[in-house]
């Protein structure tokens, strides 16, 4: 889908195309690690009741286009590159359905000691092995929205490179 029309207004979706990011020397036997980044429908929509929806997600649930999430989605490709290239920290986070994902905010590792509890734009993602034809690991950004984060409650943080390598070597979806 390259665009979506809501209430007569067309909005571009090309920014949510899959992209490949390469991490030098982090693959098996010192090879480069290729990461395919894709973006889910929840990056531009929220859940709703039948009859209010504009679209359905991959599980057949109705979704309502959301202007705020759409605005945040415009910067997701660049953020995804940064979080991999700069080896951002992330943590495990359960969604409303109790499914586990990783969460990350746009804070480079050198600034991690300045994290303040409060409302942050949080990116949610999971990883799974790729077919190895174009990439080694798939990183799926499932959602991005404002959320209250209490950093004092986060027990463990993982850097992205460690998670990518774990997915690659264990050859399974994480978390």
């Amino acid at each position: 889908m390259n665009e979506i029309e809501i209430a007569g207004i067309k909005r571009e979706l090309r920014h949510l195309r899959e992209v490949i990011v390469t991490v030098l020397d982090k693959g098996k036997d010192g090879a480069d690690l290729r990461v395919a980044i894709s973006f889910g429908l929840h990056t531009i929509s929220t859940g709703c009741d039948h009859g209010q929806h504009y679209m359905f997600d991959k599980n057949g649930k109705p979704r309502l286009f959301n202007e705020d999430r759409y605005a945040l989605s415009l910067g997701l490709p660049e953020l995804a590159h940064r979080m991999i290239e700069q080896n951002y920290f992330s943590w495990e986070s359960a969604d409303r359905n109790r499914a586990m994902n990783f969460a990350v905010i746009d804070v480079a590792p050198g600034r991690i000691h300045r994290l303040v509890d409060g409302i942050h734009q949080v990116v949610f993602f999971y990883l799974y092995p790729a077919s190895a034809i174009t990439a080694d690991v798939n990183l799926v950004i499932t959602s991005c929205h404002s959320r209250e984060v209490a950093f004092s409650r986060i027990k463990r943080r993982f850097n992205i490179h460690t998670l990518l390598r774990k997915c690659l070597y264990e050859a399974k979806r994480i978390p």
Side-chain angles (χ1 to χ4, degrees):
M1 179 174 1
N2 290 329
E3 63 184 16
I4 188 169
E5 185 173 335
I6 306 295
I9 300 170
K10 290 185 181 180
R11 291 177 181 82
E12 183 68 43
L13 295 179
R14 287 190 180 108
H15 64 284
L16 296 178
R17 289 184 184 164
E18 182 178 279
V19 295
I20 305 290
V21 175
T22 302
V23 183
L24 300 178
D25 306 324
K26 294 291 183 179
K28 290 184 177 178
D29 300 320
D32 295 342
L33 176 61
R34 300 162 302 153
V35 182
I37 303 168
S38 58
F39 305 92
L41 187 61
H42 293 211
T43 60
I44 62 165
S45 65
T46 56
C48 65
D49 294 327
H50 281 281
Q52 298 175 336
H53 65 282
Y54 291 113
M55 59 200 91
F56 292 96
D57 69 11
K58 65 180 181 180
N59 298 318
K61 304 276 186 187
R63 303 292 297 177
L64 184 63
F65 181 81
N66 182 282
E67 288 288 351
D68 291 334
R69 287 190 182 196
Y70 177 75
L72 290 172
S73 80
L74 295 171
L76 278 179
E78 292 80 18
L79 173 54
H81 272 91
R82 265 194 322 277
M83 69 187 234
I84 292 172
E85 290 170 354
Q86 296 180 25
N87 200 15
Y88 278 24
F89 287 101
S90 64
W91 62 92
E92 288 186 359
S93 178
D95 66 14
R96 289 187 344 195
N97 298 321
R98 295 286 196 216
M100 290 304 290
N101 291 289
F102 290 112
V104 67
I105 62 170
D106 192 7
V107 176
R111 294 178 38 223
I112 201 77
H113 63 280
R114 296 185 213 148
L115 296 178
V116 177
D117 291 357
I119 302 290
H120 293 274
Q121 302 300 329
V122 183
V123 176
F124 300 92
F125 68 96
Y126 64 90
L127 304 167
Y128 69 95
S131 63
I133 294 170
T134 58
D136 303 300
V137 174
N138 292 306
L139 185 152
V140 179
I141 295 179
T142 58
S143 187
C144 178
H145 56 271
S146 297
R147 184 178 200 184
E148 178 79 28
V149 179
F151 291 103
S152 58
R153 292 188 196 145
I154 297 171
K155 304 284 188 252
R156 286 191 69 188
R157 293 186 189 131
F158 308 92
N159 67 46
I160 299 289
H161 291 178
T162 299
L163 296 174
L164 291 170
R165 290 174 59 100
K166 179 178 179 167
C167 180
L168 176 67
Y169 281 96
E170 293 182 6
K172 66 179 185 179
R173 182 195 189 279
I174 58 172

